[in-house]
Amino acid sequence: MFYIQKSADLTEATEALVVGVFKQTKPFDGILADLDEQLDIRNLIKSGDIEVRNKAITKIPTLGKIDPKRIFFVGLGRPKEMTASSLKEGFGELFQYIQKCGIAEVSIALSSFETDAINEYMCAYALSEALPLSTYKFNDYKRRSNEPAKRIEKVILLTDEDNQEIENMVRTGYIYGKATNSARTLVNLPGNMLTATDLAQYARELGEKYEFEVEILEKEDMEKLGMGALLAVNKGSVEPPKMIVLKYQGKKEWKDVIGLVGKGITYDTGGYSLKPRQSMVGMKTDMGGAASVLGAMEVIGEIRPNQNVVAVIPSTDNMVSASAFKPDDVITAMSGKTIEILNTDAEGRLALADGITYAKHHGAEYLIDVATLTGGVIVALGEETTGAMTNNQKWYEKVAEASVEAQEDMWQLPIFERDKKRVRNSAMADLNNSPGREGHAIMAGAFIGEFAEETPWVHLDIAGTSVTKKSGSLGPSGATGVMVRTLAAAVERFDSETK
């Protein structure tokens, strides 16, 4: 899809040439100077026929004056105000527009997007990640015409920089974008088409493709291991639960193992603590954490970092039946800790409890769990910021750095000793699974922390960020695939200094 060529002059025929244009008064140079000489670009900008505001896209036909048939100008605003994030969104707007125009091939002048802070290599990464993200579409179940969909098939990068390094950046960006889309598709699937069994099969195929070690625990295996927390959630279901494990060994020795644990609740009714009708719609997305982990493992499989990773996904649905678990029940998790059930709709933390214990069983020395866990995190942080909690500030800072690199916003919430006391406050058991509405997101994190214990651990609550109601520069409404890139970047960035 991506091809690299030396910067060309305007005598090379192409369907579309893409050029970045800033809001500035200094003289044009490079390809913009050539275009100005042939097409009087500066006056077109002054007249407003070419817009330079951030993310504005302008298409200009060349009418045979130069060999490229048309020019797409990407408005970039003021050079000092452009960020890697705004650049990626600008490329997203560009690719969405080009695809609507039905153009299959495009050439991009990388140097025209450079600033003092953002070089051509960063531009190459931004556009290669933006292309799959911005043009993603879930193949839904509506009847379609036989007319083939129009797709961008060839992107030529015009640059005088080192070809190999540009190629590396493009490959990495595209891998991250495609893996995010894989997670989006999993989350968008209806619950009847993505059961725990289906999720396990997807993981098995991923393992075969990337030569991961794969382990799928069946219900009988979980019973032998005493995974009473996950099994309790599954009690009301006719679908069997699965504990899904993928292991990637990038070092000779199985040490410094990073455990990625994703909540895989494929549909959540709330159980006997039944959700209201309007709150139940959309609960097919309650396995967003599992999708994020699987997306991250796709990146890891492609990039093959020199790290050790174990991915663990506890998966089931949470249904109502005569056999379903109930408020006031007491269950025993794999760790041996007993839990008083006060809310069957606080089921994700129960599944994660056994998932985290099993990740530690597989040697995880650093943990990140990711889950669509609480409405409380949406109240606290809105729908564009992931909530984070930790028991180890140094490990959290490493994950936070990865989130900045991935441009996925997150914010740390505290866990104080009094919060731990609230989840330990039960007359019947070691823990209770829902101490109340106050600080709900923190209570969920504090509960999971009881199973992480002393292992460095970061909890990511993506209840607000895993889906979006509106389309944007980097994709349509629906699943976002959030945290795929942060998890993968955290693995790539890991080093012994993390200790």
Side-chain angles (χ1 to χ4, degrees), residues 237-423:
S237 179
V238 297
E239 293 288 343
K242 305 287 180 181
M243 182 68 82
I244 302 163
V245 180
L246 297 175
K247 292 172 75 172
Y248 165 79
Q249 186 165 350
K251 297 181 177 181
K252 288 184 179 179
E253 295 182 56
W254 188 247
K255 63 179 184 179
D256 296 332
V257 180
I258 303 168
L260 306 179
V261 183
K263 174 184 170 185
I265 304 298
T266 57
Y267 197 85
D268 182 19
T269 67
Y272 273 105
S273 304
L274 193 66
K275 293 179 184 291
R277 174 181 56 83
Q278 64 272 21
S279 299
M280 213 177 296
V281 175
M283 282 298 103
K284 67 178 186 177
T285 67
D286 209 20
M287 37 59 65
S292 298
V293 168
L294 290 169
M297 291 304 290
E298 183 177 327
V299 175
I300 290 162
E302 289 282 355
I303 292 177
R304 317 298 292 184
N306 184 32
Q307 308 296 351
N308 292 328
V309 183
V310 57
V312 178
I313 296 168
S315 186
T316 179
D317 50 11
N318 183 24
M319 306 297 284
V320 182
S321 77
S323 60
F325 77 135
K326 312 171 297 299
D328 290 337
D329 284 358
V330 173
I331 63 175
T332 304
M334 183 187 179
S335 70
K337 293 181 180 180
T338 56
I339 305 164
E340 182 182 13
I341 304 301
L342 301 183
N343 180 1
T344 64
D345 197 21
E347 87 299 328
R349 66 200 71 177
L350 300 175
L352 289 168
D354 281 347
I356 281 176
T357 301
Y358 201 53
K360 289 162 65 178
H361 172 80
H362 275 284
E365 299 171 50
Y366 302 87
L367 292 164
I368 307 173
D369 85 80
V370 56
T372 50
L373 210 61
T374 66
V377 80
I378 303 173
V379 175
L381 297 176
E383 295 181 333
E384 296 181 356
T385 305
T386 292
M389 281 155 265
T390 191
N391 64 0
N392 184 293
Q393 199 61 30
K394 194 169 184 180
W395 177 226
Y396 169 78
E397 287 167 5
K398 290 292 183 181
V399 178
E401 287 169 6
S403 78
V404 171
E405 181 179 303
Q407 297 162 22
E408 295 185 309
D409 293 338
M410 56 187 265
W411 194 257
Q412 186 178 0
L413 297 172
I415 298 177
F416 294 110
E417 196 61 32
R418 61 177 176 266
D419 302 318
K420 298 175 185 178
K421 287 180 180 178
R422 284 182 66 190
V423 300

Side-chain angles (χ1 to χ4, degrees), residues 180-201:
T180 301
N181 286 351
S182 295
R184 281 171 160 173
T185 296
L186 287 172
V187 176
N188 283 330
L189 282 168
N192 63 325
M193 296 184 181
L194 188 73
T195 63
T197 300
D198 296 323
L199 199 61
Q201 180 59 27

Side-chain angles (χ1 to χ4, degrees), residues 41-97:
I41 297 302
R42 191 170 292 279
N43 279 330
L44 289 174
I45 292 172
K46 285 180 180 178
S47 66
D49 292 304
I50 295 176
E51 292 193 65
V52 296
R53 62 181 172 82
N54 186 35
K55 297 192 288 186
I57 310 297
T58 307
K59 181 175 73 169
I60 299 291
T62 60
L63 304 176
K65 292 185 177 181
I66 55 177
D67 285 342
K69 290 185 179 180
R70 53 188 70 81
I71 312 291
F72 287 89
F73 291 93
V74 181
L76 300 171
R78 299 183 187 279
K80 289 184 178 180
E81 295 174 0
M82 190 177 80
T83 64
S85 180
S86 68
L87 175 62
K88 186 164 68 174
E89 289 177 0
F91 279 126
E93 294 283 350
L94 168 73
F95 291 131
Q96 288 175 356
Y97 188 22

